[in-house]
């Protein structure tokens, strides 16, 4: 699916407290793209990703998936669209603490009254190396395992596009490296679109298309 982000701005507060978190960001995401967005803390990275993925609304501008403006449908439609088409990976994992790893993984399907494709679930969790952890609760898992569970959850509904907001930001370099390797491997294997936010230049360089964001202004890094 072709995604066009047109002139998105996000302004918080007013008067003296006004913060321009995003300043007219424009980006086109084509099917199969692998895009990284790098920028310092507070530069608007999460705001941008939340707006592109429909988790937040822009102050002005448009996000089109094909011909559909995702911020102008009703909330139920947007939620269903997000569950089916978009996988989101958070820095803080965002697993539900009272559910097992497997229950967390299949939650997006249950919310959509769907049953998991057992062989896909088996292959996915095998690839991510978490078969032996599926009955565990999140607090019984290491950071790297939690993020691998979160990756499985992001992919369980076979979305077209994966957004990852600093997916290794809470991990040590070894488990962060493993998580990145798996994420890149799954992207290539399943031919998904991946948009990843990072402030690690090594991770940014893995992407085919690179952007930076500074003070809410997004720009493409031209090839060397
Ligand atoms: P990043 O992910 O790059 O660290 P964010 O997108 O989270 O940056 O934030 C961008 C700017 O917007 C920051 O200055 C932040 O303080 C501000 N901001 C984010 N969310 C809110 C909010 N809900 N209310 C007010 N300001 C916010
Ligand atoms: Mg952020």
């Amino acid at each position: 699916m072709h995604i066009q982000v047109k002139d998105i701005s996000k302004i918080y507060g007013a008067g003296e407290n006004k913060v321009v978190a995003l300043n007219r960001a424009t980006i086109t995401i084509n099917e199969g793209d692998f895009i990284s967005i790098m920028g310092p803390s507070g530069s608007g990275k999460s705001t941008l990703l939340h707006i592109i993925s429909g988790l937040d609304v822009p102050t002005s501008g448009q996000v089109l998936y094909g011909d559909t403006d995702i911020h102008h449908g009703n909330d139920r439609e947007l939620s269903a669209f997000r569950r089916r088409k978009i996988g989101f990976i958070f820095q803080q994992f965002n697993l539900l603490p009272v559910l097992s790893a497997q229950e967390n993984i299949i939650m997006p399907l249950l919310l959509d009254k769907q049953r998991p494709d057992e062989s896909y679930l088996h292959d996915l969790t095998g690839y991510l190396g978490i078969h032996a952890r599926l009955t565990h609760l999140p607090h019984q898992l290491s950071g790297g395992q939690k993020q691998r569970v979160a990756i499985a959850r992001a992919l369980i509904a076979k979305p077209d596009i994966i957004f990852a907001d600093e997916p290794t930001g809470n991990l040590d370099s070894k488990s962060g490296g493993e998580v990145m390797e798996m994420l890149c491997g799954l992207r290539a294997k399943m031919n998904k679109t991946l948009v990843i936010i990072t402030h690690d230049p090594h991770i940014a360089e893995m992407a085919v298309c690179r952007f930076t964001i500074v003070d809410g202004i997004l720009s493409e890094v031209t090839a060397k």
Side-chain angles (χ1 to χ4, degrees):
M1 198 177 340
H2 183 74
I3 305 168
Q4 277 179 284
V5 178
K6 292 185 179 171
D7 254 348
I8 292 286
S9 294
K10 181 74 177 183
I11 296 167
Y12 291 111
E16 273 182 18
N17 298 322
K18 180 172 153 179
V19 174
V20 180
L22 268 184
N23 193 349
R24 307 190 63 172
T26 292
I27 181 173
T28 298
I29 304 168
N30 292 305
E31 218 167 301
D33 272 357
F34 181 6
I35 293 173
S36 67
I37 302 170
M38 217 181 132
S41 185
S43 57
K45 302 184 298 298
S46 296
T47 304
L48 175 67
L49 214 60
H50 290 171
I51 291 173
I52 302 180
S53 62
L55 283 171
D56 197 357
V57 290
T59 307
S60 60
Q62 274 188 315
V63 178
L64 302 174
Y65 280 65
D67 296 326
T68 310
D69 181 334
I70 59 161
H71 297 292
H72 286 89
N74 68 44
D75 285 354
R76 277 231 332 257
E77 280 168 6
L78 176 58
S79 302
F81 179 83
R82 293 193 60 252
R83 281 198 301 271
R84 290 167 200 165
K85 300 289 185 194
I86 297 174
F88 202 103
I89 300 163
F90 300 88
Q91 177 176 348
Q92 318 277 1
F93 324 123
N94 285 12
L95 299 176
L96 291 168
V98 296
L99 299 184
S100 69
Q102 168 143 338
E103 288 164 342
N104 269 285
I105 293 168
I106 64 174
M107 182 48 76
L109 296 176
L110 300 183
L111 290 171
D112 221 15
K113 300 187 172 61
Q114 309 258 329
R115 290 159 58 85
D117 170 342
E118 293 295 342
S119 86
Y120 176 66
L121 175 65
H122 187 266
D123 290 350
L124 184 59
T125 51
Y127 183 88
L128 289 163
I130 49 176
H131 271 165
R133 294 286 178 268
L134 292 176
T135 58
H136 291 209
L137 292 170
H139 78 87
Q140 299 169 314
L141 303 174
S142 70
Q145 289 166 343
K146 281 184 208 165
Q147 197 58 303
R148 285 184 268 145
V149 168
I151 292 172
R153 177 183 58 185
L155 286 165
I156 194 67
K158 304 179 184 169
D160 296 335
I161 175 159
I162 307 158
F163 293 107
D165 188 354
E166 303 200 43
T168 65
N170 274 24
L171 304 178
D172 60 72
S173 63
K174 181 169 175 284
S175 43
E178 286 165 5
V179 157
M180 273 313 296
E181 200 174 301
M182 287 171 181
L183 197 51
C184 292
L186 287 167
R187 179 199 85 84
K189 222 160 97 107
M190 300 183 189
N191 200 22
K192 303 280 187 205
T193 309
L194 174 62
V195 180
I196 187 164
I197 278 181
T198 182
H199 48 222
D200 180 340
H202 298 296
I203 293 177
E205 278 166 17
M206 293 177 191
V208 178
C209 228
R210 288 157 54 203
F211 285 78
T212 57
I213 183 166
V214 178
D215 290 339
I217 298 176
L218 182 70
S219 22
E220 186 160 5
V221 178
T222 42
K224 284 178 239 174

